[in-house]
Amino acid sequence: MMKIKIIVSKKMKDVNFYEKYITPAELEEMFGISQSTQYKLRMQKNYTDENRQKHIPIPFVKIGNRILYNIDSIKKWLKNIEQK
């Protein structure tokens, strides 16, 4: 897992929120979603198809030119799109 150097105040040094974020390469390794598919999913807008199925784009954070994914958000997203 890649660590991001973050400058925090002394009051916040116990907060390790960056450990919950992964890169596109790590997402591909963990969940098997290729980086090209991730790109397509990020560009997707919310829409409902002809069968009234709602499609939600993959949740991500963009900081500069870096894309990061929150692991908890990805798990919720996967559960939401799970075939029933």
Side-chain angles (χ1 to χ4, degrees):
M1 180 184 261
M2 186 177 110
K3 293 203 176 192
I4 299 170
K5 185 177 180 181
I6 298 174
I7 300 169
V8 295
S9 70
K10 291 180 181 180
K11 293 178 186 176
M12 293 181 60
K13 70 175 157 180
D14 293 333
V15 177
N16 290 324
F17 69 92
Y18 62 89
E19 292 178 0
K20 292 185 176 189
Y21 288 87
I22 57 174
T23 64
E26 291 167 330
L27 182 72
E28 181 176 17
E29 184 180 316
M30 292 172 73
F31 295 98
I33 303 170
S34 72
Q35 291 186 45
S36 61
T37 299
Q38 290 174 42
Y39 173 80
K40 291 173 190 169
L41 291 169
R42 285 194 308 269
M43 297 302 113
Q44 203 176 49
K45 302 225 185 232
N46 287 340
Y47 70 94
T48 304
D49 66 14
E50 62 275 357
N51 298 323
R52 294 189 173 186
Q53 273 191 307
K54 190 172 184 180
H55 296 270
I56 302 168
I58 192 167
F60 69 98
V61 176
K62 185 169 184 178
I63 302 172
N65 64 353
R66 176 170 281 182
I67 301 292
L68 297 172
Y69 298 101
N70 180 296
I71 294 173
D72 296 332
S73 296
I74 294 298
K75 288 178 182 176
K76 287 178 190 172
W77 176 77
L78 286 170
K79 215 164 202 15
N80 192 24
I81 65 167
E82 182 178 9
Q83 298 292 322
K84 296 178 181 173

